[in-house]
Structures are given as C-alpha cells and as structure tokens.
Amino acid sequence: MKIFTRWPPIRSRRPLWDLANPDRPDPIVGENSAAVTLPDHNKVGILSFILSEAGFFAALILAYLYFYARPQAGPGPKELDVPRTLVFSVCLFASSFTFWRAEIGLRRQRRATMLGWLALTILLGGVFLVGQGTEYWKLFQTGVDVSTNLFATTFFTLTGFHGLHVLLGLIALLIFLWLAWEGDFASGRREAAFKSVGYYWHFVDVVWVFVLFTVYILPLLR
C-alpha cells in the first residue's frame, strides 16, 4: 500500500518571494514590460554631460561679461572681424540641419543619404574650426594672445573651450561615418548612440549662439 501522495504542481507564475511578501510583489517580466523598462543609457549619459557642460559655459560667459562691464586698456572686441566670424558661424549652424537630415536617412535605412548628409555635417564643422583657427592666427600676429589682458584671457578661454567641443564632436562624427561606411548601421544598429551624438552636436551649436552674441554682437550694440 502506498503511504504517500504526490503534491499538486504549483501553477502560479509568481516567484516564491512574492508569495512570502504579497503586499509588495515584484513586477512579472513579460506581463507588464512598462514596469521594468530601463532608460536609454546613451541618452541619460549624454544629457547629464551636456547639463554639466552648460554650467561651465555659463560661468565662462559670465566671466566675459564681467570684463565687458569693466573694460581695461589694450586690445578689445574692436580687434575682432565680426563679418568674417558670421560667415563660418553660419556653417556651424547649418551643420545642425545637415545632421538632422542624416538622422532621417538613418531612420529610413537609406545608407547613401545618411552618409552624404553626415559627411556634409563634418565638412561644415571643419570649416568652422578652420575659420576659428585663422582668427586666432591673425590675433597672434597683431600681438594679442591669452596673456595680453583680461579681454584676451576671457576671449581665448571661452571660444577655445567651445572650439575644443567642436573638435571632439567632429571626432565622434568621423567615427560614426566610418561605422556607417562599413555597414555597421544596418537594421537600425547604433541608432540610439547616433542620436546621443546628435544631442551633443546641437548643444555645441546652441552654445555658439550665446558666445557669438556675447563676444561679437553685443559690442556692436554698445
């Protein structure tokens, strides 16, 4: 005679620890995906970085405005070639549009379109950097460098720091251009990372709007 019985199978899909703590059960994966969805690490990371850099740029702009309110003897904003700066600034602003078109090409899986617009974005960003470099060279030739006076210090620090960000953005765009050329963006791969670089590039353009107005346009309105 059998003196034992078989236990019925447990049909509940809830984990044992939920049965032990029914008041605060954990979400069941697969039944409520919204409860376990994690934020995009690329987006969170780049937005956090942008926020910190925005504060740093704000401090540099305030330092320049301090000079503007208390001008000193020596070289000043009159040494700057504003019309020429406006030309290569337009190139930087246009690069935001071309990058947006590259994003559309990636979203629609049009590789040639994406590559063309991305290459044009890099070209426009390069024109901006060359324009900024030649501006520095002309100032150096007239005896204006970072240690000349408070204007020169704040000018080279603010615009140079922005130029460094443009350079870093161009390096990132060149990497993505190479990856796209090699077909690494097939089937939407790396789209989230590409969008994150876009946030950074648009941020660099927006910052230059404030720098351009503060350093180049404001003295003309004074």
Side-chain angles (χ1 to χ4, degrees):
M1 175 184 294
K2 295 182 179 180
I3 58 174
F4 60 88
T5 59
R6 298 178 61 183
W7 291 94
I10 298 177
R11 300 184 181 276
S12 174
R13 298 179 61 187
R14 296 175 60 186
L16 295 178
W17 51 84
D18 284 356
L19 298 176
N21 187 14
D23 295 332
R24 299 178 59 187
D26 292 337
I28 300 175
V29 178
E31 293 189 2
N32 186 7
S33 59
V36 295
T37 300
L38 296 177
D40 189 316
H41 295 293
N42 294 299
K43 184 176 180 180
V44 172
I46 196 63
L47 291 180
S48 300
F49 175 75
I50 287 174
L51 183 62
S52 65
E53 294 302 284
F56 194 82
F57 273 112
L60 292 177
I61 291 175
L62 288 175
Y64 185 89
L65 289 174
Y66 175 80
F67 153 77
Y68 185 76
R70 303 176 61 181
Q72 298 179 351
K78 63 181 182 298
E79 308 293 335
L80 304 177
D81 189 348
V82 178
R84 185 174 176 277
T85 301
L86 290 175
V87 172
F88 62 77
S89 296
V90 169
C91 293
L92 183 64
F93 298 146
S95 69
S96 277
F97 171 78
T98 58
F99 187 91
W100 172 67
R101 295 301 303 176
E103 285 184 301
I104 293 178
L106 175 62
R107 191 180 310 122
R108 296 177 179 176
Q109 290 298 300
R110 296 178 179 176
R111 178 172 175 268
T113 301
M114 183 264 189
L115 285 171
W117 285 111
L118 184 56
L120 184 56
T121 302
I122 295 171
L123 176 62
L124 291 171
V127 170
F128 174 82
L129 274 187
V130 171
Q132 192 175 55
T134 55
E135 179 183 41
Y136 286 179
W137 177 249
K138 289 185 176 180
L139 290 173
F140 292 154
Q141 288 182 321
T142 59
V144 180
D145 57 40
V146 69
S147 61
T148 301
N149 60 2
L150 185 57
F151 160 76
T153 301
T154 53
F155 169 78
F156 283 111
T157 302
L158 176 57
T159 59
F161 191 70
H162 177 269
L164 176 62
H165 279 67
V166 175
L167 177 61
L168 295 176
L170 287 177
I171 293 174
L173 293 181
L174 283 170
I175 293 174
F176 277 100
L177 181 66
W178 178 75
L179 292 174
W181 180 264
E182 294 293 322
D184 203 42
F185 279 74
S187 302
R189 291 182 60 189
R190 304 189 187 279
E191 185 174 351
F194 191 68
K195 287 183 178 180
S196 297
V197 173
Y199 292 139
Y200 174 84
W201 191 255
H202 296 316
F203 164 73
V204 168
D205 284 7
V206 171
V207 168
W208 185 248
V209 172
F210 291 96
V211 175
L212 180 67
F213 177 79
T214 303
V215 177
Y216 295 88
I217 305 301
L218 191 59
L220 297 179
L221 303 177
R222 187 174 181 179

